[in-house]
Amino acid sequence: MVSYRKRGNAWQYEISYKDQNGKYKKLRKSGFLLKSEAILAASKVQTEHPNLTTVQSGSESLVSYYRRWIQVYKQNAVTPITYNKYQNTAKHANELFGDLKLKDLTKLIYQEQLNKFAESHAKRTVSCFHKQLRACILEALDEKIITTDPTRKAVITGCERPKVSKTLNYDDWKKLLLNLDTSQIGEMIVYLAAVTGMRYGEIVGLTPSDIDLKNNLIAVNKAWDYKYKTGFMKTKTQSSVRDIAIDQQTSQKLQEFLDLHFLSSNRPIFMNATGHILVSAEINKILTEKLEQLNIPRITFHGLRHTHASILLYKGVSVLSVSRRLGHSNITTTQSTYLHIIKELESQDQDKIISILNNISK
């Protein structure tokens, strides 16, 4: 039921309705100069929000609604790691939108804050943030809490990261290995990545039982969630479970490291005494500083994996063996990742083939 009355010089409408619990509520709005304006506004509200409870829902903040949404729809439906990503989006949304109400969110405001987020984040990160937040906002649209989609046709941008080399050449790779202090946790991690090609999560997930110094083998059978700190987790793929052969010098360095840092048999060997394992930003900082000291071009930590694979291929190790050592799910992954190297090596092989054939009659 709707009623109208004049308060001072302005008109007010009052709509009576039942909430979800069957209790009577009243929705009032005043400030209309003419009664016809109040009638038109009340009619619009009733048309856009048939049950009227959604009008009140629009007064909830975007961040509050998003947090409730991920708790209801995502918490028990996705992995803990994925759920942590949704929680990170909530954290960023709070920094960008604060207490902004759902009903006050416009396309302009949304795009302005998305642009602000893009000033300090890569385009891929901005896209993920937008995708998760938009899914929640579309739910509010379906519930008729809002009447338009403020995320429609949003423009995704991002900041450009400084370009870095993907790999080191053989001489720089060797120079790095010879100048690492493997008694230090960070530099030992860098050393292992360079001589095994292991992923970061695989390295920091190693426990003493995974290291067979007698047979010079490292067993990769799990990883460590260094990003969201959920503990041990499965390897990236089933093919990532593998044994990696190491040289005698690496075995010796590992033995010395364990003698210095060993704490517990079921504890990651790269976890310090306070229970902390370096996150990706920390290990990349250690690597960058070391490369600068040695006047070697900067690469990321993951670039050590590419470096290891590239050097093995250039030294004549078969693609199949490199693929197994890296723990790729199939040889096609290795071939596509290192196609440029394989093509270069094929060109060299052609010269060898011609040389062999030319020597037949000699």
Side-chain angles (χ1 to χ4, degrees), residues 191-337:
Y191 183 91
L192 267 188
V195 297
T196 66
M198 291 170 66
R199 301 177 180 94
Y200 187 63
E202 295 171 345
I203 293 176
V204 293
L206 291 173
T207 55
S209 61
D210 300 323
I211 300 170
D212 182 357
L213 297 177
K214 182 179 179 180
N215 296 302
N216 294 335
L217 290 172
I218 294 177
V220 179
N221 48 49
K222 59 188 175 305
W224 182 264
D225 178 19
Y226 59 89
K227 189 173 183 179
Y228 298 110
K229 303 177 176 64
T230 60
F232 289 113
M233 62 182 188
K234 292 181 180 179
T235 53
K236 185 175 182 179
T237 65
Q238 186 57 42
S239 301
S240 298
V241 177
R242 63 202 188 278
D243 287 336
I244 298 177
I246 55 176
D247 60 283
Q248 187 58 46
Q249 181 172 282
T250 298
S251 286
Q252 184 178 341
K253 288 180 179 294
L254 276 170
Q255 182 64 70
E256 292 169 353
F257 182 85
L258 289 172
D259 290 341
L260 186 63
H261 295 279
F262 178 75
L263 292 173
S264 171
S265 58
N266 60 354
R267 182 187 178 101
I269 65 173
F270 294 113
M271 179 180 283
N272 66 19
T274 64
H276 177 67
I277 286 182
L278 297 173
V279 297
S280 57
E282 291 172 313
I283 194 64
N284 271 298
K285 183 173 183 292
I286 291 171
L287 174 60
T288 297
E289 290 176 350
K290 196 68 182 181
L291 293 174
E292 286 178 354
Q293 289 174 13
L294 299 172
N295 197 28
I296 296 174
R298 179 175 174 256
I299 62 168
T300 63
F301 183 86
H302 194 70
L304 294 171
R305 177 173 166 86
H306 291 314
T307 297
H308 182 74
S310 300
I311 287 173
L312 294 184
L313 290 170
Y314 276 125
K315 291 295 183 180
V317 178
S318 72
V319 177
L320 179 60
S321 295
V322 172
S323 181
R324 288 175 175 171
R325 188 171 178 87
L326 294 180
H328 282 163
S329 55
N330 54 65
I331 195 171
T332 305
T333 302
T334 314
Q335 289 172 325
S336 60
T337 304

Side-chain angles (χ1 to χ4, degrees), residues 23-176:
K23 294 182 179 180
Y24 278 100
K25 300 283 185 180
K26 292 183 184 295
L27 177 66
R28 302 184 183 94
K29 188 172 183 181
S30 59
F32 303 99
L33 295 179
L34 302 173
K35 183 178 180 180
S36 59
E37 292 178 349
I39 293 173
L40 184 63
S43 177
K44 183 179 179 183
V45 168
Q46 288 177 302
T47 301
E48 294 177 346
H49 304 275
N51 61 12
L52 289 179
T53 57
T54 56
V55 176
Q56 304 295 62
S57 298
S59 296
E60 183 176 10
S61 74
L62 167 64
V63 177
S64 173
Y65 182 81
Y66 175 80
R67 283 180 171 148
R68 287 199 301 116
W69 179 77
I70 64 172
Q71 186 176 18
V72 172
Y73 289 99
K74 301 299 177 182
Q75 190 168 24
N76 297 317
V78 298
T79 65
I81 291 177
T82 301
Y83 187 65
N84 272 320
K85 292 179 180 179
Y86 280 99
Q87 289 181 310
N88 276 346
T89 293
K91 178 183 175 182
H92 293 311
N94 186 54
E95 293 169 352
L96 292 168
F97 297 99
D99 295 326
L100 181 72
K101 296 177 181 178
L102 272 169
K103 66 180 182 180
D104 295 329
L105 180 63
T106 64
K107 287 188 69 174
L108 182 61
I109 292 174
Y110 185 80
Q111 187 66 61
E112 285 175 341
Q113 297 311 105
L114 200 62
N115 291 347
K116 183 178 179 182
F117 185 66
E119 290 174 2
S120 56
H121 293 84
K123 187 174 182 179
R124 182 178 176 182
T125 304
V126 178
S127 178
C128 181
F129 172 78
H130 164 67
K131 180 181 177 181
Q132 293 184 344
L133 202 56
R134 184 168 194 253
C136 165
I137 291 171
L138 290 179
E139 197 71 44
L141 184 64
D142 285 347
E143 288 191 86
K144 298 188 183 301
I145 295 172
I146 54 177
T147 57
T148 58
D149 176 14
T151 67
R152 183 173 175 268
K153 293 186 178 181
V155 179
I156 309 300
T157 58
C159 62
E160 292 186 10
R161 295 179 177 178
K163 291 184 178 181
V164 296
S165 302
K166 288 188 176 181
T167 62
L168 299 177
N169 62 38
Y170 179 78
D171 289 337
D172 286 337
W173 173 78
K174 188 175 180 181
K175 183 179 181 181
L176 174 64

